[in-house]
Amino acid sequence: MRFHLFSRRRRDLELEEEIRTHLAMSVRDRVARGEDPKQAEHAARREFGNEALVRELTRRMWGWGWLERLGEDLLYALRGMRRDPAFASMAILVLALGIGATVATFHIVDGLLLRGPTDVAAPQQLVRVYVVRHTASAQVATSAEQPYVLYATVRDHASAFSAVCMNASDSIRLGSGVEARFVPVRYVTPELFSVARVRPALGRFFGPAEDRPPEGAAVVILGYGFWQTEFGGDRTIIGRSVTLGDRQFQVVGVTPPGFTGMERAPVDAWLPMSDRPRAPRAARDWSNSWRSEPGAIVGRLAVPRAVAEAELTTLLRSAYTGRNRSMEQARVSLRPIYYNMHGVEPPEFGVARLLAALALVMLLIAAANTTNLMLARTLRRQGELHMRLVLGAGRSRVARLLVGESLAIALLGGLFGLVLAHWGGELIRGMLFPGMAWNASAVSGRVLLWTAVVTLLTGVSVAVIPALRAGSDHNVSALLRSRFGGGEARATARTMLQVVQFALSVVLLHTAGLFVRSLYDIHNLDLGYDRGRVLAVDVTYPPPDSLGQNGAAADIEAARTRYQDLSSRFARLPGVARVSLAVGSPLSSLNVLRIQIPGRDSLPPSKGGITMITQAAPGYFKTVGTRILRGHGFTTAGMSGTEPMVVVNETLAKTIWPGSDPIGQCIVLAGWSGGACARVVGVVQNVHHVSLKEPAFNQSYVPWGQGQHSVRGTVLLVHTSDDVRAVRQELMDVLRRAAPAIQSVQINSFEQILDPQARPWRVGATLFGLFGLTVLLVAMIGLFSVVSYSATQRRRELGVRMALGARRGRVLRLMIGRGVRSALAGAAVGIVLSLAIGGFIQPLLFDNRARDPWMLAAVGTVLLGVAAVASLWPSWQATRVDPLLALRAE
Amino acid sequence: MTVDHGPLGRLDLLQGTLDLIILQTLRWGPRHGYGLTQMIQARSGNVLHVDTGSLYPALHRLERKKFIRSWERSDNKQRVRVYQLTAAGQRQLTAEQSRWKRLSEAMQGIMSPLAAEEEA
């Protein structure tokens, strides 16, 4: 480009010189013929004609003319924008919003559906193996976790895949003690890397000998990020050993940056499939068992999918040697690798696609609004354009001005849109797909390309109507009048556009409101515990056998003492109000047992179907904040007593003893009290044990550490009176000093554990709210442009009205009325639509109420207010026009 | 390019004709822009006056198409840009000449009777 400009300037100078020489020669000849030198010069110039025009025409032959002219037009357009900043900023904002939304969602859809995980070649050829079978209860079960034996069979005998691998996600403890943390690992067969067609960044990948069942070699491949953060990118890491869990692994390689295999979740370390820890019960021949299902099978298709499915189904049925009858009719289904473990497309993908469609609609609306804005502005510039034509500017030149202006606006809109897309893209990514590894920033080369395409198309399409008209019509006044006089059809189209925009914003905002209400409901939900103030401290010790060869009873006693010791240390901290202990406390683990009532054969079925059991230490209910409805909880005195006792929840009490007092009743807890009777000493409120949305389960509580029951899985519950984070630090300090032998510790507040569960509603509220507000803003600007356009158009009429004595207020009402009417129509359509689609939204909401008249009323009111404001300003301007001037203007 | 046509005034020539005339004129050797106008005027018996607004664009267009090339030389203490026919230009000229010949014959055929009538 620099070279271009340089050579261009040189050619300009040359041309100038050429023309000068031409003139000089002409003068010389004339003088030689005897003319007066002065007259000769005049004559020569006259004969030569318009020097500037000659230069301009000649330059056009160089072939850069169009570029230069485009530059001029853009510059001119930019100057014009400075004169009318309100118009320019509105047009740019509208386009930026439309383009930004389109680009941001394009990025998501592109990254999710078109590109696949980082460094995985041709992801559309990759499929995961699902086994589909009909269970005894006639339900369809689809599973992605397969036995290793199936994988080995497919690998050795099937011709469906050019390469096939098995992999499973897990986590492993890194370090030990208070600072220990769990890092994500992937257990893989060596073929994974050839299926992905990836090369190591350093070292090598696994060889087949290192992953031979039953026991794999102690080797590890590090993830690039992990290698960077943990080892500072040290290249001598190859051959050294690292400790993961309690085992040492030799580092053989490092994966390239961003590589996460077939799933998109981050991976810190890759380990051989055969090293995956198995339940102690699993036999040594796990790799030949149809009952252990260690991982998912992913293959690269070598034949059409249907053919591959048929072959694998035959293979599965002939190879299966287990005893599950439903496997006889099982079939293999191959599905894209971005499908989830249940064999369906994750719902986020549907949401992403919906967003992309919404964004496209928004872009169309934004383009239509910008066209309206342009038309309104061109009308205001009628005089200027007229003057240009009169002064001899070609019609094509005027058309080019309009194109230049809309292109300049589109370019700026695209630029700001890109900035918006960057923020928006990161936001959507973070909300919809937390923890997913993306292979590029929200703005990448492809995204830039897409932005350029969208921007140019928008710019040209916005200009095309005015430009075509300007180029074809001879009488520009007539042209402008006909263009803006807006035949009935065009006026109707504009009104329709307004109505559609308002309707869309009503639907989106109402939906957002429903999600916000869900969040509010969740916040106010009585879960049966104090979620903000209670910390659950989960301390794990090394298995008892590493502590000595004592008997089980002694081990249990030792463990009990350890927990009680920690508990009393915690209790002495200034920020701690109360401490208790429990096994099977909410959100940590779930223990289930069977109950019997002496004298009854069967029990009435309960909603949840199962009965949970929690071992609770004294003060437990007060510590976690569960209300005791009748009787009392466990006390230190009661624990030493011999008679087993039990606390039940409301649901259990009502199910078993409806209408009578449960206190003092007897329950037999199977496998717990050894067939003895446990006396009910108290009734407590129901507790959400697992999730925000769960049926009322039967819940029972027994004293912690009673009898010979193991206290494995004990969680210390700390009710804080101080800032949760500060207390967390204090607890860590205590653990560091008092419990050097612990293996790992996790401290989370109930709030933190619950937080991910509220994500769907938070995502819905944010995304719908964001899109709703954007559409509302675009609609507002659109209405503004339409009203201001019509105000200009009706200047004469308004002038007449005011000259005849119409009051300003009346004229104002006349002008606003139109905008408000279209908003009313939009609100009506939007409300009907919202009610109609309620069925789709309902399952997404927390409380399943998808039709909220108050919410609709609120959204409608906001809409009308916005419409009134958007039409007030240009209408006000219209009424301030001097009637005399308005009349004379025509 | 205009043709001085007496009382009828200016007459626009067919597009492409000027290119042909320039190429044809350059057959006699390199010329600068002013020289070309003079030569065309002289060779057409003072009928054709090439207007500079057409000449220079045409020269630069032909140069871009590589039918002619140009360089600067000093002529009478004045730096002038001279144009010369290239081999491609020569070929183009030959092709254009035969086209022109056919066209003018055709025009002749169409116009003759009319011309005769008018004169009659």
Side-chain angles (χ1 to χ4, degrees):
Chain A
M1 202 60 213
R2 227 188 120 94
F3 172 75
H4 243 81
L5 287 175
F6 175 72
S7 86
R8 164 111 231 199
R9 189 164 307 133
R10 209 192 57 206
R11 288 208 69 166
D12 256 341
L13 290 174
E14 284 173 4
L15 179 61
E16 196 138 324
E17 173 150 25
E18 195 169 11
I19 290 171
R20 250 202 333 270
T21 320
H22 185 110
L23 284 170
M25 285 173 161
S26 178
V27 171
R28 208 175 52 204
D29 278 4
R30 281 164 196 276
V31 172
R33 283 201 297 264
E35 276 183 43
D36 173 61
K38 241 197 184 122
Q39 276 189 348
E41 175 128 14
H42 275 300
R45 278 201 186 281
R46 205 167 43 242
E47 190 189 64
F48 192 89
N50 187 340
E51 203 180 309
L53 185 66
V54 172
R55 261 211 297 276
E56 158 95 42
L57 288 172
T58 308
R59 269 198 213 114
R60 222 176 258 182
M61 296 302 142
W62 297 346
W64 308 317
W66 68 273
L67 197 66
E68 188 192 1
R69 270 172 285 143
L70 184 67
E72 274 171 17
D73 292 344
L74 287 181
L75 263 182
Y76 178 82
L78 287 175
R79 275 207 302 275
M81 280 181 209
R82 242 187 11 219
R83 276 204 307 274
D84 197 350
F87 156 77
S89 47
M90 273 192 296
I92 291 169
L93 178 63
V94 166
L95 278 189
L97 289 173
I99 292 174
T102 317
V103 170
T105 49
F106 165 78
H107 157 72
I108 304 279
V109 171
D110 173 53
L112 282 183
L113 302 176
L114 307 180
R115 274 211 271 200
T118 310
D119 275 335
V120 173
Q124 61 281 357
Q125 295 173 354
L126 297 180
V127 287
R128 192 180 287 116
V129 174
Y130 293 89
V131 172
V132 182
R133 61 195 169 79
H134 294 272
T135 60
S137 50
Q139 280 176 321
V140 178
T142 307
S143 60
E145 310 257 271
Q146 313 301 352
Y148 188 88
V149 55
L150 176 60
Y151 161 68
T153 311
V154 170
R155 181 191 59 196
D156 298 339
H157 302 296
S159 58
F161 297 128
S162 58
V164 60
C165 65
M166 179 172 238
N167 67 130
S169 294
D170 207 335
S171 66
I172 200 162
R173 181 167 43 81
L174 180 69
S176 155
V178 176
E179 318 301 340
R181 63 192 171 94
F182 288 84
V183 296
V185 294
R186 200 72 58 76
Y187 290 96
V188 299
T189 59
E191 294 85 358
L192 177 114
F193 303 101
S194 49
V195 171
R197 296 187 186 151
V198 64
R199 316 277 332 139
L202 196 67
R204 61 173 177 87
F205 291 142
F206 302 135
E210 284 162 327
D211 181 42
R212 198 153 283 160
E215 201 67 46
V219 286
V220 61
I221 297 166
L222 302 180
Y224 193 90
F226 187 69
W227 175 54
Q228 289 290 328
T229 53
E230 291 296 311
F231 303 100
D234 182 1
R235 300 185 70 85
T236 65
I237 189 77
I238 305 296
R240 302 219 316 249
S241 48
V242 296
T243 306
L244 295 170
D246 292 318
R247 249 180 103 184
Q248 297 232 315
F249 293 87
Q250 192 190 31
V251 178
V252 297
V254 175
T255 54
F259 181 70
T260 58
M262 303 301 159
E263 330 285 330
R264 288 191 193 246
V267 182
D268 280 351
W270 306 80
L271 296 162
M273 193 74 213
S274 311
D275 278 341
R276 187 161 193 203
R278 281 168 291 277
R281 262 176 297 166
R284 272 189 65 80
D285 67 340
W286 63 274
S287 60
N288 290 317
S289 158
W290 284 91
R291 294 180 61 174
S292 105
E293 293 165 345
I297 303 174
V298 171
R300 190 175 283 282
L301 282 174
V303 299
R305 202 169 70 171
V307 178
E309 283 178 341
E311 185 198 6
L312 295 181
T313 301
T314 314
L315 205 57
L316 169 68
R317 289 183 188 167
S318 62
Y320 185 71
T321 55
R323 280 187 230 139
N324 190 336
R325 295 290 302 274
S326 70
M327 285 298 284
E328 285 166 16
Q329 286 307 311
R331 63 183 174 84
V332 168
S333 168
L334 303 174
R335 297 175 194 178
I337 50 170
Y338 63 84
Y339 275 38
N340 65 15
M341 286 294 135
H342 310 293
V344 295
E345 188 185 72
E348 301 92 282
F349 285 68
V351 173
R353 257 196 237 108
L354 177 72
L355 287 180
L358 269 178
L360 271 181
V361 171
M362 211 154 86
L363 182 66
L364 286 180
I365 290 178
N369 280 341
T370 315
T371 312
N372 270 349
L373 267 172
M374 294 279 299
L375 288 178
R377 175 169 149 76
T378 319
L379 186 68
R380 275 203 301 282
R381 288 169 59 195
Q382 188 176 0
E384 179 209 327
L385 292 179
H386 201 158
M387 188 65 81
R388 276 176 194 282
L389 284 177
V390 168
L391 288 181
R395 283 187 300 277
S396 66
R397 179 80 204 158
V398 171
R400 275 214 326 265
L401 276 181
L402 295 178
V403 175
E405 198 163 82
S406 67
L407 270 185
I409 284 168
L411 285 180
L412 284 174
L415 209 65
F416 285 113
L418 216 51
V419 176
L420 285 180
H422 181 71
W423 293 339
E426 298 276 347
L427 182 78
I428 298 176
R429 237 148 75 152
M431 298 215 76
L432 273 182
F433 312 97
M436 181 182 273
W438 290 78
N439 47 18
S441 87
V443 174
S444 65
R446 284 161 69 120
V447 171
L448 281 177
L449 191 70
W450 171 244
T451 315
V453 170
V454 167
T455 301
L456 286 178
L457 278 182
T458 314
V460 170
S461 64
V462 161
V464 81
I465 302 169
L468 278 181
R469 289 307 208 93
S472 69
D473 228 312
H474 277 256
N475 182 334
V476 101
S477 283
L479 140 76
L480 289 172
R481 236 180 275 118
S482 73
R483 192 192 320 159
F484 303 112
E488 270 310 297
R490 212 166 297 135
T492 314
R494 267 197 299 273
T495 312
M496 287 299 292
L497 183 68
Q498 287 302 312
V499 172
V500 167
Q501 295 177 43
F502 283 128
L504 193 60
S505 33
V506 166
V507 172
L508 290 175
L509 288 177
H510 174 246
T511 311
L514 293 176
F515 278 101
V516 171
R517 198 193 58 204
S518 284
L519 284 179
Y520 180 78
D521 291 345
I522 290 168
H523 184 77
N524 287 338
L525 187 67
D526 186 1
L527 296 170
Y529 39 82
D530 187 347
R531 57 184 123 170
R533 290 238 154 261
V534 180
L535 285 171
V537 184
D538 190 351
V539 181
T540 40
Y541 287 91
D545 54 7
S546 62
L547 290 175
Q549 291 301 313
N550 302 328
D555 285 336
I556 291 169
E557 192 51 45
R560 230 182 268 174
T561 316
R562 274 196 314 251
Y563 283 121
Q564 275 163 334
D565 173 53
L566 272 183
S567 167
S568 55
R569 279 169 193 268
F570 283 174
R572 284 198 292 272
L573 289 173
V576 172
R578 273 180 293 277
V579 185
S580 188
L581 298 160
V583 179
S585 59
L587 306 173
S588 69
S589 60
L590 176 72
N591 298 320
V592 178
L593 86 172
R594 210 154 37 78
I595 55 172
Q596 290 160 345
I597 307 297
R600 291 205 215 173
D601 290 340
S602 66
L603 294 175
S606 69
K607 252 194 246 161
I610 52 171
T611 301
M612 302 177 186
I613 183 163
T614 303
Q615 297 185 50
Y620 168 84
F621 296 112
K622 209 165 182 200
T623 305
V624 298
T626 305
R627 265 179 297 122
I628 297 173
L629 304 176
R630 286 183 57 77
H632 56 82
F634 304 122
T635 56
T636 322
M639 276 182 70
S640 51
T642 46
E643 194 191 32
M645 49 186 177
V646 63
V647 169
V648 298
N649 74 339
E650 230 178 322
T651 300
L652 196 146
K654 277 187 188 150
T655 317
I656 299 179
W657 303 283
S660 59
D661 188 1
I663 302 291
Q665 301 278 12
C666 165
I667 305 182
V668 175
L669 305 163
W672 191 261
S673 45
C677 200
R679 291 276 157 216
V680 175
V681 297
V683 178
V684 294
Q685 69 175 128
N686 287 345
V687 164
H688 284 249
H689 198 98
V690 194
S691 66
L692 292 168
K693 254 181 145 173
E694 66 179 31
F697 291 111
N698 286 335
Q699 289 163 332
S700 62
Y701 300 83
V702 295
W704 179 82
Q706 210 178 40
Q708 288 304 306
H709 293 290
S710 164
V711 290
R712 234 186 132 65
T714 290
V715 171
L716 291 111
L717 298 147
V718 179
H719 191 108
T720 63
S721 55
D722 207 346
D723 176 53
V724 172
R725 256 168 306 175
V727 174
R728 195 174 182 280
Q729 273 312 313
E730 289 172 20
L731 297 178
M732 292 287 263
D733 288 341
V734 169
L735 286 168
R736 230 171 257 131
R737 269 179 282 123
I742 63 171
Q743 205 170 48
S744 68
V745 58
Q746 282 172 296
I747 306 181
N748 290 304
S749 69
F750 281 169
E751 186 86 77
Q752 276 173 301
I753 306 173
L754 281 171
D755 190 63
Q757 293 192 16
R759 199 172 64 86
W761 297 288
R762 214 164 25 238
V763 169
T766 313
L767 291 184
F768 281 102
L770 218 59
F771 269 74
L773 285 178
T774 313
V775 173
L776 186 64
L777 188 61
V778 169
M780 185 174 162
I781 297 175
L783 181 63
F784 176 91
S785 69
V786 167
V787 174
S788 94
Y789 148 67
S790 108
T792 319
Q793 188 192 355
R794 295 168 70 181
R795 226 158 80 145
R796 191 183 148 96
E797 178 207 327
L798 296 179
V800 171
R801 281 175 191 269
M802 291 185 59
L804 290 179
R807 298 238 172 128
R808 175 169 293 177
R810 186 152 169 72
V811 174
L812 212 54
R813 269 208 299 284
L814 182 81
M815 294 300 299
I816 297 177
R818 191 160 160 188
V820 171
R821 270 200 302 281
S822 72
L824 267 176
V829 173
I831 286 172
V832 170
L833 268 178
S834 297
L835 294 176
I837 62 164
F840 295 100
I841 311 279
Q842 196 166 318
L844 304 174
L845 296 174
F846 185 69
D847 63 354
N848 294 333
R849 279 188 301 123
R851 297 178 181 93
D852 188 330
W854 289 109
M855 192 78 70
L856 282 172
V859 171
T861 311
V862 167
L863 191 74
L864 289 183
V866 164
V869 169
S871 33
L872 195 61
W873 168 249
S875 305
W876 177 254
Q877 292 251 307
T879 60
R880 282 180 34 184
V881 67
D882 184 344
L884 216 60
L885 284 180
L887 286 175
R888 231 189 251 152
E890 291 284 317
Chain B
M1 144 152 252
T2 54
V3 179
D4 209 350
H5 210 266
L8 287 175
R10 313 176 101 197
L11 254 177
D12 287 334
L13 279 188
L14 285 172
Q15 214 187 349
T17 316
L18 179 58
D19 289 6
L20 179 58
I21 293 173
I22 291 174
L23 292 178
Q24 176 75 23
T25 313
L26 283 178
R27 252 169 22 121
W28 312 110
R31 283 273 182 295
H32 46 68
Y34 179 71
L36 269 171
T37 60
Q38 297 302 306
M39 191 151 173
I40 291 168
Q41 204 171 322
R43 283 178 54 82
S44 68
N46 245 349
V47 171
L48 297 176
H49 291 271
V50 181
D51 115 40
T52 46
S54 311
L55 176 74
Y56 284 102
L59 283 173
H60 286 247
R61 182 171 61 237
L62 288 170
E63 186 174 11
R64 205 161 100 88
K65 287 185 186 162
K66 297 205 161 56
F67 293 151
I68 58 176
R69 61 169 165 265
S70 73
W71 70 90
E72 291 206 326
R73 81 167 183 222
S74 227
D75 191 40
N76 237 346
K77 284 187 212 156
Q78 212 160 24
R79 292 207 321 157
V80 293
R81 172 161 296 269
V82 294
Y83 297 88
Q84 188 190 32
L85 205 59
T86 63
Q90 186 68 56
R91 279 196 298 278
Q92 174 73 8
L93 179 60
T94 318
E96 286 294 317
Q97 271 172 335
S98 68
R99 251 167 45 103
W100 177 255
K101 211 170 154 213
R102 271 184 292 144
L103 182 65
S104 65
E105 276 165 14
M107 287 300 283
Q108 195 73 40
I110 295 167
M111 301 306 282
S112 312
L114 190 71
E117 270 167 43
E118 265 181 13
E119 261 161 42

